Amino acid sequence: MKFYDTPGAPNPRRVRMFMAEKGLSIPSVAVDLGKRENKSEDFTAINPRQRTPALMLDDGTVITESMAICRYLEALHPEPNLFGRDAREIGEIEMWARRIELHFLMTVAAAFRHLHPAMAEMEVPQVKEWGEVNRGRIVDELTILDRHLEGRDFIACGRFTVADITALVAVDFVRPTRVPVPEDLVHLARWRASVAARPSAKA
């Protein structure tokens, strides 16, 4: 297998954290978005959407989309379990993972992509008004997560799961949007300090 990665980008980081939690080491190829290597003919043949991450299997099959890659790896390496052991866990983890990805991570990404000067050549057109709308929603999403984490060590099922991975990546991705995280979100801060101390957070 070969993993097409972009260090510093949030979605490849989700897969790197997942692999680290599983103790997996897969040869990787760095794709530099700043040099527009994702737009190259070679990478476009791998992923026509020109985005990372991508996982090329030994038979040439390519899997893209962060969670699709993680689900594939979970099927190959079911322990430690990160997607759920039974129907209730699967439903709970999926619910929170989707809530965080669709409502939080995508909100942060929209703010970053439409407001940050470094994204001007990649997000065409940049729509400043849309960026500001999403930037204004970030604290609301952080507050929802803070309330959920009151009395909880993890997002779902009382243990570390893929939902925590997506949440940590989303929280850390707030920084380049320059939205200050309110200091009174103490449950969020406690949780972040705990999951950020895991070795996988540095993957």
Side-chain angles (χ1 to χ4, degrees):
M1 286 190 286
K2 187 181 297 183
F3 179 61
Y4 291 83
D5 188 14
T6 299
N11 284 312
R13 185 188 178 199
R14 289 201 282 170
V15 179
R16 292 198 307 272
M17 284 188 65
F18 191 89
M19 291 192 296
E21 290 286 337
K22 295 284 187 181
L24 301 176
S25 179
I26 298 175
S28 65
V29 176
V31 179
D32 191 327
L33 303 187
K35 294 180 180 178
R36 302 177 71 81
E37 291 177 352
N38 58 311
K39 303 288 187 181
S40 70
E41 184 177 337
D42 287 346
F43 188 74
T44 300
I46 294 166
N47 183 6
R49 296 194 66 84
Q50 302 178 328
R51 294 189 177 187
T52 55
L55 182 68
M56 181 176 286
L57 310 188
D58 293 339
D59 67 358
T61 299
V62 175
I63 300 174
T64 64
E65 306 301 330
S66 304
M67 289 300 98
I69 295 171
C70 290
R71 284 190 176 279
Y72 174 79
L73 296 175
E74 175 100 341
L76 291 181
H77 307 277
E79 295 297 334
N81 177 276
L82 296 174
F83 275 103
R85 297 190 180 98
D86 56 30
R88 186 194 65 79
E89 283 198 357
I90 290 169
E92 182 179 343
I93 292 167
E94 182 73 8
M95 173 184 72
W96 278 103
R98 287 181 67 80
R99 282 178 172 177
I100 293 163
E101 179 171 28
L102 296 176
H103 300 293
F104 182 20
L105 180 57
M106 290 184 68
T107 294
V108 178
F112 175 73
R113 294 182 70 89
H114 287 276
L115 292 174
H116 201 287
M119 296 300 297
E121 292 185 9
M122 298 183 200
E123 193 66 39
V124 180
Q126 271 191 324
V127 182
K128 182 178 180 181
E129 293 80 6
W130 179 236
E132 292 293 352
V133 166
N134 282 278
R135 191 173 185 271
R137 293 172 175 166
I138 290 174
V139 171
D140 291 340
E141 294 298 330
L142 290 167
T143 301
I144 290 170
L145 195 53
D146 177 74
R147 289 172 181 164
H148 173 69
L149 285 165
E150 183 175 4
R152 293 181 173 88
D153 292 329
F154 301 103
I155 301 290
C157 300
R159 61 188 175 85
F160 186 86
T161 70
V162 70
D164 294 282
I165 290 176
T166 297
L168 178 65
V169 169
V171 169
D172 288 352
F173 195 31
V174 170
R175 182 176 297 175
T177 69
R178 298 175 183 170
V179 172
V181 177
E183 293 182 2
D184 61 347
L185 301 184
V186 295
H187 310 300
L188 179 70
R190 168 189 49 78
W191 165 85
R192 190 208 169 274
S194 176
V195 296
R198 299 175 74 90
S200 65
K202 299 176 177 62

